[in-house]
């Protein structure tokens, strides 16, 4: 198992439902602490987090249309980076994994228990766990094709095939868990070697974040944010992502994921059985070129949270998402702030949310909502019984729209958080909002831009209102 240390860094302007980025201040490994994946035990624990990200610095007054100002990318993982004093060659020759596998004999077609060691680009196997004297053979993963896990004749469970120079070497783990882990580790190593070879032939720099992910596959969170990811790097990730059985969260925020990369990525994730959260914020994804993403939303995967804020989805894309959600039975969060969505897209999406009980957050800040859109949202609030958070910052909502929303909140006892910063807030709206706060005791956070009222402040304000000391929202 490889140990990682991470420190969440809240210093960024992100929707409240967006995962917190990882701090770049993470200790690097020394040569003596390189992790070896022990696949010989019955209990295998994945490493918790692998993340490459920028430091993010944004002022507290940033609007919903603001984008983080970024610094030079810092790799915050436990694998040595180019800037480390540790030479890459030392890691390239390090032992990455070891454990037992059953191998089918080449001549005598029976299954034999062998001790396997993955060291650098080579997979060695031994008759005994004593690696010094009982070596049986070597497989060069750089020239190997790894056929997927599947049931084959006379195998006790689905097994993989290592195809080298026309020969198939069948291998299977002693337990289902070890079987899946071995396949993932070898698949990622093979993808890494292929990607590095192609990069050298094309005289291109390797994306070290991708390399580090492939070298440390037993992670459940992977973030590769704030730097363009080349198409060939995406291609190197597709097969491992398709078969990855540990990854829960994948983040590619502000990574310049174009339509071709998006198609490749979504095609792989269609087959993934573990990822529950995908973050694609800030990638200029357009509604006219997101067919693969719509197919992913419509597919039967375990994906539950999808972050699409700060793209260019527009009305057409928003309507497609709403239609796909009618098929999907798992997704319970989609963030869509700052996506150039107008009344048509809002109407389709809000109509779906009105009848759905899966969603607790309506994240639509920074879109073209206005008073007409506010009327649609008011109807949604009246019908939906599962929403607890309403995010409508910087949505060009004027007095009429805010009054409609305030009145709708009077009758909704589920919504706890309301964010309306950056919209028109005059005395008439303040008086109506005061009445709403007094009537709806469920509200625990009101963000109006000039000030925020949390649960304690709202409780104190309600007491002062009941005693006749105040009649409207405070000015500060």
């Amino acid at each position: 198992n490889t140990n990682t240390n991470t420190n969440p860094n809240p210093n960024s302007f992100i929707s409240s439902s967006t995962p917190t980025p990882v701090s770049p201040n993470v200790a690097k490994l020394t040569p003596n602490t390189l992790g070896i994946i022990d696949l010989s035990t019955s209990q295998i624990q994945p490493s918790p987090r692998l993340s490459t990200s920028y430091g993010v610095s944004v002022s507290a007054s940033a609007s919903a249309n603001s984008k983080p100002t970024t610094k030079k990318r810092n790799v915050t993982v436990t694998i040595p980076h180019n800037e480390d004093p540790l030479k890459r060659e030392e890691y390239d020759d390090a032992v990455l994994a070891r454990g037992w596998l059953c191998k089918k004999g080449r001549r005598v077609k029976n299954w034999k228990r062998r001790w396997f060691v993955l060291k650098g680009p080579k997979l060695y196997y031994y008759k005994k766990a004593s690696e010094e004297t009982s070596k049986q053979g070597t497989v060069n993963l750089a020239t190997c094709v790894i056929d997927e896990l599947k049931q084959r004749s006379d195998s006790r469970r689905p097994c993989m095939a290592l195809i080298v120079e026309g020969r198939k070497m069948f291998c299977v783990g002693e337990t289902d868990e070890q079987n899946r882990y071995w396949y993932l580790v070898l698949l990622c190593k093979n993808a890494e070697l292929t990607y590095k070879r192609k990069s050298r032939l094309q005289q291109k720099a390797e994306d070290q974040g991708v390399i580090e992910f492939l070298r440390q596959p037993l992670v459940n969170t992977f973030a590769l944010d704030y730097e363009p990811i080349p198409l060939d790097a995406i291609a190197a990730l597709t097969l491992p992502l398709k078969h990855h059985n540990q990854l829960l969260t994948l983040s590619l925020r502000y990574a310049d994921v174009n339509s071709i990369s998006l198609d490749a990525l979504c095609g792989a994730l269609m087959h993934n059985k573990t990822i529950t959260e995908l973050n694609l914020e800030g990638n200029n994804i357009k509604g006219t070129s997101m067919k693969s993403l719509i197919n992913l939303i419509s597919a039967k995967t375990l994906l539950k949270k999808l972050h699409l804020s700060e793209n260019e989805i527009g009305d057409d894309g928003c309507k497609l998402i709403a239609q796909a959600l009618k098929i999907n039975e798992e997704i319970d969060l989609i963030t869509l702030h700052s996506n150039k969505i107008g009344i048509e897209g809002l109407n389709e999406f809000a109509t779906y949310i009105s009848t759905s009980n899966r969603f607790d957050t309506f994240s639509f800040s920074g879109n073209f909502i206005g008073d007409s859109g506010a009327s649609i949202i008011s109807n949604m609030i009246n019908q939906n019984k599962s929403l607890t958070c309403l995010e409508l910052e910087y949505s060009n909502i004027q007095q009429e729209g805010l009054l409609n929303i305030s009145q709708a909140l009077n009758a909704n006892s589920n919504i706890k958080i309301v964010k309306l910063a950056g919209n028109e807030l005059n005395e008439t709206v303040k008086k109506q909002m005061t009445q709403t706060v007094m009537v709806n005791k469920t509200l625990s956070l009101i963000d109006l831009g000039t000030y925020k009222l949390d649960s304690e402040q709202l409780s104190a304000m309600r007491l002062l209102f009941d005693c006749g000391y105040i009649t409207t929202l405070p000015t500060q």
Side-chain angles (χ1 to χ4, degrees):
N1 299 327
T2 304
N3 297 321
T4 59
N5 296 317
T6 59
N7 295 315
N9 177 11
N11 185 27
S12 63
F13 177 76
I14 303 176
S15 169
S16 61
S17 53
T18 304
T20 304
V22 180
S23 168
N25 299 319
V26 178
K28 303 280 194 300
L29 288 180
T30 63
N32 293 328
T33 59
L34 283 171
I36 297 176
I37 303 171
D38 185 357
L39 296 173
S40 63
T41 62
S42 58
Q43 297 296 324
I44 305 170
Q45 297 297 326
S47 304
R49 180 178 291 271
L50 176 61
S51 172
T52 64
S53 63
Y54 282 113
V56 181
S57 175
V58 178
S59 65
S61 61
S63 72
N65 294 316
S66 301
K67 292 189 178 182
T69 55
T70 57
K71 302 177 182 179
K72 185 178 179 181
R73 184 176 178 181
N74 293 304
V75 178
T76 60
V77 296
T78 56
I79 303 299
H81 192 47
N82 284 339
E83 299 172 353
D84 291 341
L86 178 63
K87 294 181 179 179
R88 278 276 166 189
E89 297 79 55
E90 288 187 53
Y91 181 75
D92 288 342
D93 291 331
V95 174
L96 299 181
R98 53 164 57 100
W100 292 103
L101 283 171
C102 290
K103 183 184 81 69
K104 192 173 184 178
R106 183 174 184 179
R107 295 181 177 86
V108 180
K109 304 298 183 180
N110 59 348
W111 292 91
K112 300 175 183 178
R113 192 170 186 252
R114 293 291 181 260
W115 180 256
F116 280 76
V117 177
L118 176 58
K119 182 179 181 182
K122 304 284 183 67
L123 179 65
Y124 304 92
Y125 55 97
Y126 305 82
K127 191 172 183 179
K128 301 178 181 179
S130 55
E131 300 167 13
E132 293 80 11
T133 59
S134 59
K135 182 177 175 183
Q136 296 281 293
T138 304
V139 176
N140 186 352
L141 293 178
T143 58
C144 174
V145 175
I146 302 177
D147 194 12
E148 63 182 314
L149 284 174
K150 60 184 177 183
Q151 196 67 44
R152 305 174 197 269
S153 60
D154 76 353
S155 64
R156 66 185 73 178
R157 57 178 56 88
C159 69
M160 70 184 106
L162 307 182
I163 305 172
V164 185
E165 297 178 354
R167 176 201 170 191
K168 285 187 178 181
M169 188 171 79
F170 297 102
C171 298
V172 63
E174 295 190 312
T175 67
D176 290 338
E177 184 184 35
Q178 292 178 13
N179 204 30
R180 291 191 299 268
Y181 281 130
W182 262 117
Y183 177 64
L184 177 61
V185 169
L186 296 180
L187 187 69
C188 286
K189 188 61 182 180
N190 181 255
E192 176 203 340
L193 295 170
T194 301
Y195 173 50
K196 292 173 69 175
R197 182 177 69 251
K198 289 181 177 179
S199 296
R200 286 194 296 269
L201 290 174
Q202 297 172 4
Q203 296 183 337
K204 293 182 178 179
E206 303 158 3
D207 188 300
Q208 293 303 318
V210 172
I211 294 293
E212 285 147 1
F213 171 67
L214 296 174
R215 285 179 167 178
Q216 186 173 312
L218 301 190
V219 294
N220 54 36
T221 297
F222 176 42
L224 195 61
D225 300 329
Y226 295 106
E227 186 171 289
I229 301 179
L231 179 58
D232 54 351
I234 290 287
L237 289 173
T238 51
L239 197 57
L241 287 177
K242 178 180 178 180
H243 297 283
H244 209 291
N245 52 46
Q246 293 299 306
L247 199 60
L248 300 177
T249 301
L250 175 63
S251 178
L252 300 172
R253 302 173 65 231
Y254 303 95
D256 197 20
V257 178
N258 59 31
S259 59
I260 300 176
S261 296
L262 183 65
D263 290 346
L265 181 66
C266 291
L269 296 181
M270 289 273 286
H271 303 276
N272 184 277
K273 303 301 182 183
T274 59
I275 292 177
T276 60
E277 185 167 5
L278 175 62
N279 195 325
L280 293 172
E281 287 184 352
N283 283 295
N284 296 318
I285 298 172
K286 294 178 173 57
T288 55
S289 58
M290 53 185 292
K291 181 179 179 180
S292 59
L293 182 58
I294 297 302
N295 290 337
L296 176 62
I297 296 174
S298 304
K300 292 183 178 180
T301 67
L302 293 183
L303 188 63
K304 288 184 173 293
K305 302 185 187 304
L306 180 59
H307 304 275
L308 296 173
S309 297
E310 300 193 35
N311 285 291
E312 298 181 15
I313 289 173
D315 285 337
D316 291 339
C318 190
K319 289 190 285 187
L320 290 173
I321 290 173
Q323 293 166 10
L325 287 174
K326 296 176 183 178
I327 303 172
N328 185 288
E329 298 179 354
E330 295 291 335
I331 293 178
D332 56 21
L333 172 68
I334 290 188
T335 60
L336 289 169
H337 72 72
S338 304
N339 260 296
K340 299 182 179 179
I341 300 172
I343 298 301
E344 291 184 15
L346 170 64
N347 185 54
E348 187 87 16
F349 192 79
T351 299
Y352 168 75
I353 296 294
S354 297
T355 58
S356 172
N357 293 321
R358 295 204 313 266
F359 289 75
D360 59 12
T361 298
F362 186 79
S363 176
F364 234 79
S365 298
N367 287 299
F368 308 139
I369 294 177
D371 288 345
S372 298
S375 178
I376 295 172
I377 291 171
S378 298
N379 292 332
M380 178 192 72
I381 294 172
N382 289 327
Q383 297 179 50
N384 182 277
K385 303 302 179 185
S386 65
L387 288 177
T388 60
C389 179
L390 196 63
E391 299 178 358
L392 297 171
E393 301 157 290
Y394 299 91
S395 299
N396 195 33
I397 305 176
Q398 307 301 312
Q399 174 180 304
E400 180 184 349
L402 291 173
L403 291 177
N404 284 335
I405 291 175
S406 181
Q407 291 171 359
L409 290 172
N410 286 335
N412 188 303
S413 60
N414 296 301
I415 293 179
K416 300 178 180 180
I417 299 172
V418 177
K419 298 184 177 182
L420 294 170
N423 296 295
E424 182 181 309
L425 182 65
N426 56 30
E427 290 301 318
T428 302
V429 173
K430 287 171 64 177
K431 289 180 180 179
Q432 179 63 49
M433 193 64 69
T434 303
Q435 294 298 322
T436 297
V437 171
M438 297 305 115
V439 171
N440 189 345
K441 300 290 197 296
T442 307
L443 291 171
S444 59
L445 175 65
I446 302 290
D447 182 359
L448 299 173
T450 54
Y451 55 86
K452 295 181 182 180
L453 296 172
D454 59 24
S455 58
E456 291 184 2
Q457 293 167 329
L458 285 170
S459 296
M461 197 182 97
R462 287 171 181 135
L463 179 60
L464 292 172
F465 183 87
D466 291 340
C467 295
Y469 289 109
I470 61 172
T471 59
T472 186
L473 291 175
T475 57
Q476 295 184 356

